[in-house]
Amino acid sequence: GAVWNGERTTRTRSMLTLGFPFADFAVDDVTSPEVSLEIQDRFYNQFEADALKFFQVEHTHWKSAYWNSFVTEDVEVLFLSKPLLDIETDRLINSDIAFCGFSILFVWVYLMYHTGSVFIGMVSLWQIVMTIPFCVFFYRYLFGITYYQQLHGLLIFIILGIGADDVFVYSDAWRQSATIVWAHDQDRSEAERK
């Protein structure tokens, strides 16, 4: 058999699995989304809170606790868990959605600056934002797609970018049209004099 020669390893791997079902769930219930969320709420959220407290790391508004090393004395723990990854993904997406208000405000101010008009800036932003319920109508009611995830909420950034770009193109085209009309009028005046 194997004989220990006194050397020590610097790494080890352990796999901890949870047994299903929990005491008050039937075997068939485990795959349903509602039960999965219940398990996440009852077990994984508490596990995460306990682990973060044990390793003395915490989430901040700007930084995930998972960016830190999970170290205690001389042991560094690396772990991966799909449910914990789902919790962290939801947390990050929710924090990104918090930037929507700032983004909308920034686009509105820049639209007003670029067009030189508060009214055009307000109407342009209103049109951009109103595309969302219009698209949701087609997506959900006309095509019957009911799937929605928090990631869909981040589409506001794409919509703001495309919509603002359209306004910039139209306003620049409007400004340039004045020089085109003036040049056309000059050419016609010269032709009439001949």
Side-chain angles (χ1 to χ4, degrees), residues 14-15 22 33 50 70-71 74 90 104 114 126 144 153 155 158:
S14 299
M15 296 183 70
F22 287 151
D50 293 343
F70 286 69
V71 178
D74 59 347
D90 288 347
I104 291 171
H114 185 80
W126 181 80
L155 288 173
I158 296 171

Side-chain angles (χ1 to χ4, degrees), residues 39-50 84 87:
I39 292 169
Q40 178 176 314
D41 287 342
R42 286 181 21 193
F43 178 76
Y44 288 105
N45 287 332
Q46 186 60 48
F47 173 80
E48 181 189 49
D50 293 343
L84 291 179
I87 292 170

Side-chain angles (χ1 to χ4, degrees), residues 79-90:
F79 60 91
L80 177 65
S81 168
K82 174 74 167 92
L84 291 179
L85 183 64
D86 291 343
I87 292 170
E88 180 65 7
T89 302
D90 288 347

